[in-house]
mmCIF file of all heavy atoms in Angstrom:
data_model
loop_
_atom_site.group_PDB
_atom_site.id
_atom_site.type_symbol
_atom_site.label_atom_id
_atom_site.label_comp_id
_atom_site.label_asym_id
_atom_site.label_seq_id
_atom_site.Cartn_x
_atom_site.Cartn_y
_atom_site.Cartn_z
ATOM 1 N N LEU A 1 -2.062 -43.521 59.787
ATOM 2 C CA LEU A 1 -3.250 -44.076 60.448
ATOM 3 C C LEU A 1 -3.431 -43.488 61.842
ATOM 4 O O LEU A 1 -4.565 -43.236 62.277
ATOM 5 C CB LEU A 1 -3.145 -45.597 60.515
ATOM 6 C CG LEU A 1 -3.181 -46.328 59.165
ATOM 7 C CD1 LEU A 1 -2.845 -47.798 59.346
ATOM 8 C CD2 LEU A 1 -4.538 -46.176 58.501
ATOM 9 N N GLU A 2 -2.326 -43.259 62.532
ATOM 10 C CA GLU A 2 -2.415 -42.647 63.863
ATOM 11 C C GLU A 2 -2.882 -41.195 63.757
ATOM 12 O O GLU A 2 -3.680 -40.731 64.588
ATOM 13 C CB GLU A 2 -1.063 -42.724 64.563
ATOM 14 C CG GLU A 2 -1.027 -42.096 65.958
ATOM 15 C CD GLU A 2 -1.885 -42.807 66.982
ATOM 16 O OE1 GLU A 2 -2.300 -43.971 66.732
ATOM 17 O OE2 GLU A 2 -2.138 -42.211 68.057
ATOM 18 N N ILE A 3 -2.397 -40.480 62.754
ATOM 19 C CA ILE A 3 -2.860 -39.103 62.542
ATOM 20 C C ILE A 3 -4.363 -39.086 62.331
ATOM 21 O O ILE A 3 -5.095 -38.295 62.945
ATOM 22 C CB ILE A 3 -2.137 -38.462 61.340
ATOM 23 C CG1 ILE A 3 -0.652 -38.284 61.632
ATOM 24 C CG2 ILE A 3 -2.773 -37.111 60.989
ATOM 25 C CD1 ILE A 3 0.170 -37.868 60.430
ATOM 26 N N LEU A 4 -4.860 -39.960 61.476
ATOM 27 C CA LEU A 4 -6.298 -40.012 61.201
ATOM 28 C C LEU A 4 -7.089 -40.381 62.449
ATOM 29 O O LEU A 4 -8.170 -39.829 62.699
ATOM 30 C CB LEU A 4 -6.576 -41.009 60.068
ATOM 31 C CG LEU A 4 -6.210 -40.515 58.668
ATOM 32 C CD1 LEU A 4 -6.175 -41.675 57.676
ATOM 33 C CD2 LEU A 4 -7.195 -39.445 58.199
ATOM 34 N N ALA A 5 -6.572 -41.301 63.242
ATOM 35 C CA ALA A 5 -7.267 -41.699 64.468
ATOM 36 C C ALA A 5 -7.368 -40.524 65.444
ATOM 37 O O ALA A 5 -8.411 -40.325 66.087
ATOM 38 C CB ALA A 5 -6.542 -42.877 65.121
ATOM 39 N N ARG A 6 -6.309 -39.741 65.545
ATOM 40 C CA ARG A 6 -6.340 -38.599 66.466
ATOM 41 C C ARG A 6 -7.237 -37.478 65.931
ATOM 42 O O ARG A 6 -7.894 -36.784 66.708
ATOM 43 C CB ARG A 6 -4.918 -38.088 66.706
ATOM 44 C CG ARG A 6 -4.061 -39.100 67.464
ATOM 45 C CD ARG A 6 -2.763 -38.497 67.948
ATOM 46 N NE ARG A 6 -1.851 -39.535 68.410
ATOM 47 C CZ ARG A 6 -0.672 -39.318 68.962
ATOM 48 N NH1 ARG A 6 -0.252 -38.061 69.140
ATOM 49 N NH2 ARG A 6 0.108 -40.313 69.337
ATOM 50 N N ILE A 7 -7.244 -37.299 64.635
ATOM 51 C CA ILE A 7 -8.169 -36.333 64.044
ATOM 52 C C ILE A 7 -9.602 -36.761 64.325
ATOM 53 O O ILE A 7 -10.453 -35.947 64.701
ATOM 54 C CB ILE A 7 -7.921 -36.201 62.529
ATOM 55 C CG1 ILE A 7 -6.587 -35.500 62.268
ATOM 56 C CG2 ILE A 7 -9.061 -35.440 61.851
ATOM 57 C CD1 ILE A 7 -6.173 -35.485 60.808
ATOM 58 N N ASN A 8 -9.879 -38.047 64.148
ATOM 59 C CA ASN A 8 -11.231 -38.546 64.396
ATOM 60 C C ASN A 8 -11.662 -38.300 65.837
ATOM 61 O O ASN A 8 -12.819 -37.934 66.095
ATOM 62 C CB ASN A 8 -11.304 -40.041 64.073
ATOM 63 C CG ASN A 8 -12.645 -40.646 64.418
ATOM 64 O OD1 ASN A 8 -12.779 -41.418 65.362
ATOM 65 N ND2 ASN A 8 -13.674 -40.279 63.664
ATOM 66 N N ALA A 9 -10.759 -38.482 66.770
ATOM 67 C CA ALA A 9 -11.085 -38.254 68.182
ATOM 68 C C ALA A 9 -11.450 -36.796 68.452
ATOM 69 O O ALA A 9 -12.140 -36.496 69.433
ATOM 70 C CB ALA A 9 -9.913 -38.681 69.060
ATOM 71 N N GLN A 10 -11.015 -35.888 67.569
ATOM 72 C CA GLN A 10 -11.307 -34.460 67.714
ATOM 73 C C GLN A 10 -12.375 -33.999 66.715
ATOM 74 O O GLN A 10 -12.416 -32.818 66.345
ATOM 75 C CB GLN A 10 -10.022 -33.652 67.508
ATOM 76 C CG GLN A 10 -8.944 -33.913 68.535
ATOM 77 C CD GLN A 10 -9.345 -33.460 69.925
ATOM 78 O OE1 GLN A 10 -9.998 -32.436 70.086
ATOM 79 N NE2 GLN A 10 -8.988 -34.234 70.941
ATOM 80 N N SER A 11 -13.249 -34.896 66.309
ATOM 81 C CA SER A 11 -14.214 -34.588 65.253
ATOM 82 C C SER A 11 -15.135 -33.423 65.604
ATOM 83 O O SER A 11 -15.545 -32.662 64.719
ATOM 84 C CB SER A 11 -15.037 -35.833 64.902
ATOM 85 O OG SER A 11 -14.255 -36.774 64.202
ATOM 86 N N PHE A 12 -15.473 -33.263 66.866
ATOM 87 C CA PHE A 12 -16.344 -32.142 67.246
ATOM 88 C C PHE A 12 -15.604 -30.803 67.130
ATOM 89 O O PHE A 12 -16.192 -29.792 66.748
ATOM 90 C CB PHE A 12 -16.891 -32.333 68.660
ATOM 91 C CG PHE A 12 -18.052 -33.287 68.714
ATOM 92 C CD1 PHE A 12 -17.858 -34.615 69.077
ATOM 93 C CD2 PHE A 12 -19.337 -32.866 68.401
ATOM 94 C CE1 PHE A 12 -18.919 -35.497 69.125
ATOM 95 C CE2 PHE A 12 -20.408 -33.744 68.448
ATOM 96 C CZ PHE A 12 -20.208 -35.069 68.813
ATOM 97 N N LEU A 13 -14.335 -30.778 67.451
ATOM 98 C CA LEU A 13 -13.539 -29.570 67.237
ATOM 99 C C LEU A 13 -13.474 -29.246 65.747
ATOM 100 O O LEU A 13 -13.663 -28.093 65.333
ATOM 101 C CB LEU A 13 -12.130 -29.760 67.805
ATOM 102 C CG LEU A 13 -11.101 -28.675 67.457
ATOM 103 C CD1 LEU A 13 -11.563 -27.289 67.895
ATOM 104 C CD2 LEU A 13 -9.740 -29.021 68.072
ATOM 105 N N PHE A 14 -13.214 -30.258 64.944
ATOM 106 C CA PHE A 14 -13.149 -30.046 63.501
ATOM 107 C C PHE A 14 -14.495 -29.593 62.951
ATOM 108 O O PHE A 14 -14.545 -28.770 62.024
ATOM 109 C CB PHE A 14 -12.671 -31.313 62.792
ATOM 110 C CG PHE A 14 -11.179 -31.457 62.755
ATOM 111 C CD1 PHE A 14 -10.495 -32.021 63.823
ATOM 112 C CD2 PHE A 14 -10.450 -31.021 61.665
ATOM 113 C CE1 PHE A 14 -9.115 -32.150 63.802
ATOM 114 C CE2 PHE A 14 -9.073 -31.129 61.637
ATOM 115 C CZ PHE A 14 -8.394 -31.707 62.707
ATOM 116 N N ALA A 15 -15.580 -30.114 63.497
ATOM 117 C CA ALA A 15 -16.907 -29.701 63.035
ATOM 118 C C ALA A 15 -17.104 -28.206 63.227
ATOM 119 O O ALA A 15 -17.601 -27.504 62.334
ATOM 120 C CB ALA A 15 -17.988 -30.484 63.773
ATOM 121 N N ASN A 16 -16.720 -27.692 64.386
ATOM 122 C CA ASN A 16 -16.837 -26.253 64.639
ATOM 123 C C ASN A 16 -15.917 -25.460 63.717
ATOM 124 O O ASN A 16 -16.296 -24.402 63.196
ATOM 125 C CB ASN A 16 -16.518 -25.949 66.102
ATOM 126 C CG ASN A 16 -17.668 -26.287 67.025
ATOM 127 O OD1 ASN A 16 -18.611 -25.519 67.184
ATOM 128 N ND2 ASN A 16 -17.607 -27.466 67.646
ATOM 129 N N ALA A 17 -14.707 -25.962 63.504
ATOM 130 C CA ALA A 17 -13.751 -25.263 62.645
ATOM 131 C C ALA A 17 -14.235 -25.224 61.202
ATOM 132 O O ALA A 17 -14.137 -24.190 60.529
ATOM 133 C CB ALA A 17 -12.382 -25.938 62.733
ATOM 134 N N VAL A 18 -14.765 -26.343 60.716
ATOM 135 C CA VAL A 18 -15.265 -26.398 59.340
ATOM 136 C C VAL A 18 -16.524 -25.545 59.203
ATOM 137 O O VAL A 18 -16.688 -24.800 58.224
ATOM 138 C CB VAL A 18 -15.529 -27.860 58.919
ATOM 139 C CG1 VAL A 18 -16.273 -27.916 57.590
ATOM 140 C CG2 VAL A 18 -14.215 -28.627 58.818
ATOM 141 N N MET A 19 -17.421 -25.641 60.176
ATOM 142 C CA MET A 19 -18.660 -24.864 60.126
ATOM 143 C C MET A 19 -18.367 -23.368 60.012
ATOM 144 O O MET A 19 -18.960 -22.664 59.179
ATOM 145 C CB MET A 19 -19.485 -25.139 61.386
ATOM 146 C CG MET A 19 -20.751 -24.310 61.508
ATOM 147 S SD MET A 19 -21.629 -24.707 63.048
ATOM 148 C CE MET A 19 -22.964 -23.499 62.978
ATOM 149 N N HIS A 20 -17.436 -22.883 60.823
ATOM 150 C CA HIS A 20 -17.208 -21.446 60.897
ATOM 151 C C HIS A 20 -16.156 -20.940 59.913
ATOM 152 O O HIS A 20 -15.758 -19.774 59.975
ATOM 153 C CB HIS A 20 -16.853 -21.042 62.321
ATOM 154 C CG HIS A 20 -18.050 -21.028 63.217
ATOM 155 N ND1 HIS A 20 -19.023 -20.067 63.117
ATOM 156 C CD2 HIS A 20 -18.448 -21.880 64.198
ATOM 157 C CE1 HIS A 20 -19.968 -20.305 64.008
ATOM 158 N NE2 HIS A 20 -19.647 -21.401 64.674
ATOM 159 N N THR A 21 -15.725 -21.790 58.997
ATOM 160 C CA THR A 21 -14.893 -21.315 57.886
ATOM 161 C C THR A 21 -15.594 -21.560 56.556
ATOM 162 O O THR A 21 -15.587 -20.704 55.680
ATOM 163 C CB THR A 21 -13.515 -21.998 57.886
ATOM 164 O OG1 THR A 21 -13.676 -23.435 57.961
ATOM 165 C CG2 THR A 21 -12.679 -21.528 59.064
ATOM 166 N N SER A 22 -16.232 -22.715 56.416
ATOM 167 C CA SER A 22 -16.894 -23.055 55.147
ATOM 168 C C SER A 22 -18.329 -22.552 55.068
ATOM 169 O O SER A 22 -18.857 -22.326 53.981
ATOM 170 C CB SER A 22 -16.896 -24.571 54.948
ATOM 171 O OG SER A 22 -17.817 -25.190 55.843
ATOM 172 N N GLY A 23 -18.992 -22.425 56.228
ATOM 173 C CA GLY A 23 -20.406 -22.083 56.240
ATOM 174 C C GLY A 23 -21.326 -23.286 56.248
ATOM 175 O O GLY A 23 -22.555 -23.138 56.255
ATOM 176 N N GLN A 24 -20.776 -24.490 56.246
ATOM 177 C CA GLN A 24 -21.621 -25.679 56.356
ATOM 178 C C GLN A 24 -22.388 -25.654 57.675
ATOM 179 O O GLN A 24 -21.874 -25.183 58.683
ATOM 180 C CB GLN A 24 -20.771 -26.948 56.282
ATOM 181 C CG GLN A 24 -20.076 -27.179 54.950
ATOM 182 C CD GLN A 24 -19.156 -28.390 54.980
ATOM 183 O OE1 GLN A 24 -19.387 -29.331 55.738
ATOM 184 N NE2 GLN A 24 -18.108 -28.374 54.170
ATOM 185 N N ALA A 25 -23.620 -26.173 57.654
ATOM 186 C CA ALA A 25 -24.361 -26.328 58.894
ATOM 187 C C ALA A 25 -23.652 -27.363 59.767
ATOM 188 O O ALA A 25 -22.873 -28.180 59.272
ATOM 189 C CB ALA A 25 -25.787 -26.766 58.599
ATOM 190 N N PHE A 26 -23.944 -27.357 61.077
ATOM 191 C CA PHE A 26 -23.144 -28.168 61.998
ATOM 192 C C PHE A 26 -23.135 -29.650 61.630
ATOM 193 O O PHE A 26 -22.076 -30.280 61.625
ATOM 194 C CB PHE A 26 -23.638 -28.002 63.433
ATOM 195 C CG PHE A 26 -22.842 -28.831 64.416
ATOM 196 C CD1 PHE A 26 -21.620 -28.384 64.881
ATOM 197 C CD2 PHE A 26 -23.300 -30.081 64.834
ATOM 198 C CE1 PHE A 26 -20.861 -29.159 65.756
ATOM 199 C CE2 PHE A 26 -22.554 -30.858 65.706
ATOM 200 C CZ PHE A 26 -21.332 -30.397 66.175
ATOM 201 N N MET A 27 -24.295 -30.224 61.333
ATOM 202 C CA MET A 27 -24.327 -31.658 61.047
ATOM 203 C C MET A 27 -23.494 -31.998 59.830
ATOM 204 O O MET A 27 -22.729 -32.969 59.819
ATOM 205 C CB MET A 27 -25.770 -32.130 60.842
ATOM 206 C CG MET A 27 -25.881 -33.622 60.508
ATOM 207 S SD MET A 27 -25.258 -34.719 61.817
ATOM 208 C CE MET A 27 -26.701 -34.721 62.898
ATOM 209 N N MET A 28 -23.612 -31.201 58.791
ATOM 210 C CA MET A 28 -22.816 -31.448 57.593
ATOM 211 C C MET A 28 -21.335 -31.231 57.873
ATOM 212 O O MET A 28 -20.480 -31.995 57.410
ATOM 213 C CB MET A 28 -23.265 -30.536 56.458
ATOM 214 C CG MET A 28 -22.576 -30.818 55.130
ATOM 215 S SD MET A 28 -23.210 -29.750 53.839
ATOM 216 C CE MET A 28 -22.464 -30.509 52.396
ATOM 217 N N ALA A 29 -21.021 -30.194 58.651
ATOM 218 C CA ALA A 29 -19.628 -29.925 58.994
ATOM 219 C C ALA A 29 -19.033 -31.079 59.783
ATOM 220 O O ALA A 29 -17.864 -31.438 59.585
ATOM 221 C CB ALA A 29 -19.521 -28.626 59.785
ATOM 222 N N PHE A 30 -19.831 -31.660 60.683
ATOM 223 C CA PHE A 30 -19.336 -32.805 61.446
ATOM 224 C C PHE A 30 -19.074 -33.978 60.516
ATOM 225 O O PHE A 30 -18.013 -34.605 60.576
ATOM 226 C CB PHE A 30 -20.339 -33.217 62.528
ATOM 227 C CG PHE A 30 -19.855 -34.376 63.366
ATOM 228 C CD1 PHE A 30 -19.118 -34.157 64.514
ATOM 229 C CD2 PHE A 30 -20.119 -35.690 62.989
ATOM 230 C CE1 PHE A 30 -18.637 -35.226 65.274
ATOM 231 C CE2 PHE A 30 -19.655 -36.760 63.734
ATOM 232 C CZ PHE A 30 -18.909 -36.530 64.884
ATOM 233 N N GLN A 31 -20.042 -34.288 59.661
ATOM 234 C CA GLN A 31 -19.924 -35.483 58.824
ATOM 235 C C GLN A 31 -18.927 -35.291 57.686
ATOM 236 O O GLN A 31 -17.963 -36.045 57.552
ATOM 237 C CB GLN A 31 -21.302 -35.868 58.280
ATOM 238 C CG GLN A 31 -22.261 -36.323 59.366
ATOM 239 C CD GLN A 31 -23.623 -36.733 58.827
ATOM 240 O OE1 GLN A 31 -24.060 -36.276 57.772
ATOM 241 N NE2 GLN A 31 -24.305 -37.599 59.555
ATOM 242 N N ALA A 32 -19.157 -34.276 56.841
ATOM 243 C CA ALA A 32 -18.293 -34.074 55.675
ATOM 244 C C ALA A 32 -16.910 -33.582 56.074
ATOM 245 O O ALA A 32 -15.906 -33.950 55.463
ATOM 246 C CB ALA A 32 -18.942 -33.094 54.701
ATOM 247 N N GLY A 33 -16.857 -32.724 57.107
ATOM 248 C CA GLY A 33 -15.573 -32.194 57.547
ATOM 249 C C GLY A 33 -14.836 -33.115 58.493
ATOM 250 O O GLY A 33 -13.646 -32.947 58.731
ATOM 251 N N GLY A 34 -15.571 -34.101 59.049
ATOM 252 C CA GLY A 34 -14.984 -35.026 60.003
ATOM 253 C C GLY A 34 -14.876 -36.434 59.446
ATOM 254 O O GLY A 34 -14.004 -36.716 58.617
ATOM 255 N N PRO A 35 -15.741 -37.361 59.883
ATOM 256 C CA PRO A 35 -15.611 -38.768 59.490
ATOM 257 C C PRO A 35 -15.559 -39.024 57.986
ATOM 258 O O PRO A 35 -14.799 -39.887 57.544
ATOM 259 C CB PRO A 35 -16.850 -39.412 60.118
ATOM 260 C CG PRO A 35 -17.112 -38.570 61.327
ATOM 261 C CD PRO A 35 -16.774 -37.178 60.918
ATOM 262 N N HIS A 36 -16.350 -38.311 57.186
ATOM 263 C CA HIS A 36 -16.295 -38.560 55.744
ATOM 264 C C HIS A 36 -14.945 -38.133 55.164
ATOM 265 O O HIS A 36 -14.389 -38.818 54.288
ATOM 266 C CB HIS A 36 -17.425 -37.820 55.033
ATOM 267 C CG HIS A 36 -18.792 -38.318 55.377
ATOM 268 N ND1 HIS A 36 -19.944 -37.734 54.905
ATOM 269 C CD2 HIS A 36 -19.200 -39.359 56.145
ATOM 270 C CE1 HIS A 36 -20.997 -38.375 55.370
ATOM 271 N NE2 HIS A 36 -20.561 -39.369 56.140
ATOM 272 N N ALA A 37 -14.417 -37.015 55.616
ATOM 273 C CA ALA A 37 -13.094 -36.582 55.174
ATOM 274 C C ALA A 37 -12.019 -37.560 55.647
ATOM 275 O O ALA A 37 -11.077 -37.877 54.914
ATOM 276 C CB ALA A 37 -12.799 -35.179 55.712
ATOM 277 N N GLN A 38 -12.170 -38.022 56.865
ATOM 278 C CA GLN A 38 -11.213 -38.999 57.404
ATOM 279 C C GLN A 38 -11.250 -40.297 56.606
ATOM 280 O O GLN A 38 -10.203 -40.900 56.329
ATOM 281 C CB GLN A 38 -11.533 -39.251 58.883
ATOM 282 C CG GLN A 38 -11.356 -38.016 59.752
ATOM 283 C CD GLN A 38 -12.281 -37.990 60.953
ATOM 284 O OE1 GLN A 38 -12.804 -39.030 61.380
ATOM 285 N NE2 GLN A 38 -12.514 -36.803 61.512
ATOM 286 N N ASP A 39 -12.446 -40.720 56.210
ATOM 287 C CA ASP A 39 -12.559 -41.902 55.347
ATOM 288 C C ASP A 39 -11.835 -41.682 54.023
ATOM 289 O O ASP A 39 -11.182 -42.589 53.493
ATOM 290 C CB ASP A 39 -14.031 -42.234 55.079
ATOM 291 C CG ASP A 39 -14.651 -43.120 56.150
ATOM 292 O OD1 ASP A 39 -13.901 -43.829 56.849
ATOM 293 O OD2 ASP A 39 -15.887 -43.114 56.284
ATOM 294 N N ARG A 40 -11.957 -40.481 53.455
ATOM 295 C CA ARG A 40 -11.267 -40.181 52.196
ATOM 296 C C ARG A 40 -9.753 -40.220 52.389
ATOM 297 O O ARG A 40 -9.011 -40.688 51.510
ATOM 298 C CB ARG A 40 -11.699 -38.811 51.669
ATOM 299 C CG ARG A 40 -13.032 -38.816 50.936
ATOM 300 C CD ARG A 40 -12.998 -39.683 49.703
ATOM 301 N NE ARG A 40 -14.223 -39.615 48.929
ATOM 302 C CZ ARG A 40 -14.539 -40.428 47.932
ATOM 303 N NH1 ARG A 40 -13.708 -41.391 47.581
ATOM 304 N NH2 ARG A 40 -15.668 -40.312 47.275
ATOM 305 N N GLY A 41 -9.285 -39.722 53.519
ATOM 306 C CA GLY A 41 -7.857 -39.812 53.803
ATOM 307 C C GLY A 41 -7.408 -41.252 53.952
ATOM 308 O O GLY A 41 -6.364 -41.661 53.428
ATOM 309 N N LEU A 42 -8.197 -42.037 54.670
ATOM 310 C CA LEU A 42 -7.878 -43.455 54.868
ATOM 311 C C LEU A 42 -7.898 -44.207 53.546
ATOM 312 O O LEU A 42 -7.065 -45.092 53.303
ATOM 313 C CB LEU A 42 -8.872 -44.071 55.855
ATOM 314 C CG LEU A 42 -8.744 -45.577 56.107
ATOM 315 C CD1 LEU A 42 -7.359 -45.935 56.634
ATOM 316 C CD2 LEU A 42 -9.831 -46.042 57.081
ATOM 317 N N GLU A 43 -8.841 -43.866 52.690
ATOM 318 C CA GLU A 43 -8.925 -44.493 51.370
ATOM 319 C C GLU A 43 -7.611 -44.279 50.604
ATOM 320 O O GLU A 43 -7.077 -45.208 49.984
ATOM 321 C CB GLU A 43 -10.100 -43.898 50.606
ATOM 322 C CG GLU A 43 -10.338 -44.506 49.237
ATOM 323 C CD GLU A 43 -11.492 -43.834 48.527
ATOM 324 O OE1 GLU A 43 -11.630 -42.591 48.628
ATOM 325 O OE2 GLU A 43 -12.260 -44.534 47.850
ATOM 326 N N ALA A 44 -7.078 -43.063 50.648
ATOM 327 C CA ALA A 44 -5.817 -42.777 49.972
ATOM 328 C C ALA A 44 -4.665 -43.561 50.590
ATOM 329 O O ALA A 44 -3.794 -44.076 49.880
ATOM 330 C CB ALA A 44 -5.523 -41.276 50.029
#
């Protein structure tokens, strides 16, 4: 849970990282690569 919380705090960094590796547009990279992915991790 602490790992996920710290990842969430860096969501804008992750958005840039996901955008420039996957090709997702920024908004999608922020959401799908950030909070939505974090929710999936938390769900598990």
Side-chain angles (χ1 to χ4, degrees):
L1 294 171
E2 179 66 16
I3 294 171
L4 285 165
R6 293 192 192 184
I7 290 173
N8 175 251
Q10 297 294 323
S11 288
F12 280 98
L13 170 57
F14 276 85
N16 282 278
V18 170
M19 176 181 175
H20 284 288
T21 51
S22 72
Q24 295 175 28
F26 180 81
M27 179 62 81
M28 186 178 190
F30 181 90
Q31 294 181 334
H36 294 176
Q38 296 150 20
D39 274 337
R40 280 298 185 191
L42 176 58
E43 183 182 39

